[in-house]
Amino acid sequence: MLETDIKLLANILPHLPQAIQSQILAVEEFLAETTLTVRRESLRQVIQFLKTDPNFCFDVMMDLFAMDYLKYVPETPERFAVVYYLVALLQNRRIRIKVFLPEEDPTIASIHDLYKAANWFEREAWDLYGIKFEGHPNLVRILCHAEFEGHPLRKDYPSDRYQRLKTTTSSEGL
Amino acid sequence: MSEHPLTVSNEEADLKNVAFTTRLEDFINWGRKNSLWPLPFGTACCAIEYMATVGSHYDISRFGAEVVRFSPRQADCLLVLGTVVEKMGPILKQIYDQMLEPKWVIAVGVCASSGGFYRAYHVMQGIDNIIPVDVYVPGCPPTPEGIIYGMLKLQEKITKGGIVRVRDRHKIAR
Ligand code: SF4
């Protein structure tokens, strides 16, 4: 991203409607990329705004992934985070949206209806980290097999705990 | 004048020039070992090495095994080239079951042989957990020379074996 673009983004941010601005907990600029940390309950509102507002037009969701900050230094506000990576094709701009989720209730609203790509990404985050996406039409495992227990990329999952298929003998329904 | 008992008749001498005798078993095995039709089950990097093995430089057709088939019904040598995850297990088993006897299996690379450096939640610790393996080729990845050596070892094994093989399926863990 060009330096002018960064300025543009930084300049636009103060012009966000108050309703959106108040949902943003932190803004971070690192290596020419902006990260907004937003409140959990208003994630959909912020993303919907960034997608539809003519000044932003973040029309593509590049990536969606979860993080587990267990024992992370420096300590984070909550254990889990979900990160959304949006791109505005016309302006060639990128932005990251980050939401922290508490360990005891890692739940967040699904955005599968805003970006179709989110559907499988959310299933992946559920499979590997156990993040629950409320409103997702089919939140089942996507990578691990059907008999798998637990969420393997959580930091407290033993790194060598291998789980065999016990009852499934055909390739159907995995 | 009667013929000397040790004189070879003309007819017999002709036969020796055009025919030789052998055992049926040896003859069939000779045919089998020199016309292996491989089925590459390529799941990861080792499969790339196999491409080089089939290519003109290493030229596996020198050993009669260049007729690569992608249907298990038409192949008799299953080459498992790459990492096999637990979820892939039933699929590999199904493909093996679809192959007609006589059939052989080569585990190419440490991933297929033992899980390799993957000792985690997802990778099967050696395909011999689910199907019988005839030859293991070590290396990560094995060189094309290694794969050819594995093929030659299999040919040796075929030469020594009977024409009807009854597999001890109970030796397989499941
Ligand atoms: S043995 Fe090495 S080269 Fe072969 S599939 Fe495994 S990681 Fe890749």
Side-chain angles (χ1 to χ4, degrees):
Chain A
M1 191 149 66
L2 299 172
E3 208 178 312
T4 50
D5 282 337
I6 305 171
K7 288 220 181 75
L8 210 58
L9 205 52
N11 287 342
I12 288 173
L13 286 175
H15 301 299
L16 285 172
Q18 192 55 41
I20 299 292
Q21 249 187 66
S22 56
Q23 307 308 326
I24 297 173
L25 299 171
V27 182
E28 210 182 311
E29 289 278 352
F30 183 66
L31 292 178
E33 296 211 351
T34 310
T35 307
L36 307 180
T37 309
V38 307
R39 283 182 211 284
R40 164 153 78 142
E41 52 281 5
S42 43
L43 170 88
R44 276 183 64 92
Q45 187 193 349
V46 173
I47 290 195
Q48 178 117 44
F49 174 80
L50 290 172
K51 185 186 175 191
T52 49
D53 188 88
N55 286 326
F56 292 94
C57 268
F58 284 100
D59 44 5
V60 174
M61 198 201 76
M62 285 289 287
D63 204 356
L64 183 167
F65 53 91
M67 312 271 289
D68 183 354
Y69 285 105
L70 187 71
K71 295 188 195 139
Y72 188 78
V73 183
E75 210 177 312
T76 51
E78 302 286 358
R79 176 175 167 186
F80 293 108
V82 179
V83 182
Y84 302 79
Y85 207 111
L86 308 182
V87 175
L89 287 180
L90 277 182
Q91 294 99 328
N92 189 19
R93 269 191 221 136
R94 282 153 196 273
I95 196 165
R96 267 179 283 187
I97 317 287
K98 197 169 185 177
V99 187
F100 281 100
L101 308 177
E103 178 171 1
E104 55 286 354
D105 177 32
T107 311
I108 181 81
S110 167
I111 58 157
H112 74 275
D113 49 340
L114 299 178
Y115 297 100
K116 276 190 180 165
N119 190 318
W120 281 19
F121 282 124
E122 289 180 352
R123 282 177 64 188
E124 186 198 27
W126 156 251
D127 190 358
L128 303 180
Y129 288 93
I131 309 289
K132 289 191 204 80
F133 292 88
E134 265 171 359
H136 191 289
N138 181 30
L139 196 65
V140 294
R141 291 187 184 280
I142 188 166
L143 295 174
C144 295
H145 55 74
E147 296 174 21
F148 204 89
E149 285 165 14
H151 304 283
L153 291 200
R154 284 192 174 188
K155 296 287 182 216
D156 49 6
Y157 184 94
S159 61
D160 57 353
R161 188 177 159 221
Y162 169 50
Q163 297 194 30
R164 296 201 62 165
L165 278 170
K166 291 189 194 81
T167 53
T168 314
T169 47
S170 89
S171 51
E172 305 289 320
L174 278 171
Chain B
M1 187 180 99
S2 68
E3 231 171 68
H4 189 273
L6 290 180
T7 319
V8 177
S9 73
N10 273 347
E11 252 172 46
E12 252 180 80
D14 284 351
L15 202 62
K16 279 222 161 122
N17 283 334
V18 295
F20 66 94
T21 56
T22 179
R23 295 191 309 153
L24 177 68
E25 213 162 75
D26 290 344
F27 179 65
I28 289 178
N29 281 341
W30 170 81
R32 280 180 180 171
K33 86 176 168 93
N34 289 311
S35 61
L36 285 170
W37 285 21
L39 167 73
F41 189 86
T43 47
C45 2
C46 276
I48 309 290
E49 220 60 30
Y50 182 66
M51 292 174 203
T53 314
V54 181
S56 57
H57 188 79
Y58 287 100
D59 196 12
I60 194 109
S61 62
R62 292 178 293 154
F63 308 99
E66 81 281 20
V67 192
V68 176
R69 289 292 124 143
F70 293 96
S71 161
R73 312 261 187 222
Q74 301 172 349
D76 48 17
C77 174
L78 178 63
L79 285 144
V80 182
L81 310 136
T83 324
V84 176
V85 293
E86 188 63 26
K87 198 174 175 179
M88 199 67 167
I91 297 161
L92 176 62
K93 178 92 168 70
Q94 189 178 359
I95 285 180
Y96 175 79
D97 287 343
Q98 284 173 343
M99 290 170 64
L100 301 174
E101 291 280 2
K103 54 186 171 186
W104 297 273
V105 178
I106 304 185
V108 179
V110 291
C111 278
S113 305
S114 69
F117 51 73
Y118 296 105
R119 192 133 304 167
Y121 64 95
H122 55 326
V123 175
M124 187 177 288
Q125 302 296 297
I127 56 162
D128 48 11
N129 278 317
I130 50 164
I131 57 174
V133 176
D134 292 288
V135 177
Y136 299 84
V137 182
C140 176
T143 55
E145 289 92 337
I147 299 178
I148 290 175
Y149 187 65
M151 272 281 181
L152 293 179
K153 280 284 164 202
L154 180 62
Q155 293 193 346
E156 238 174 66
K157 189 171 179 177
I158 294 171
T159 319
K160 286 176 191 156
I163 46 175
V164 180
R165 282 207 308 174
V166 182
R167 287 187 186 279
D168 188 0
R169 283 173 199 280
H170 304 294
K171 278 200 185 130
I172 307 300
R174 59 178 148 144

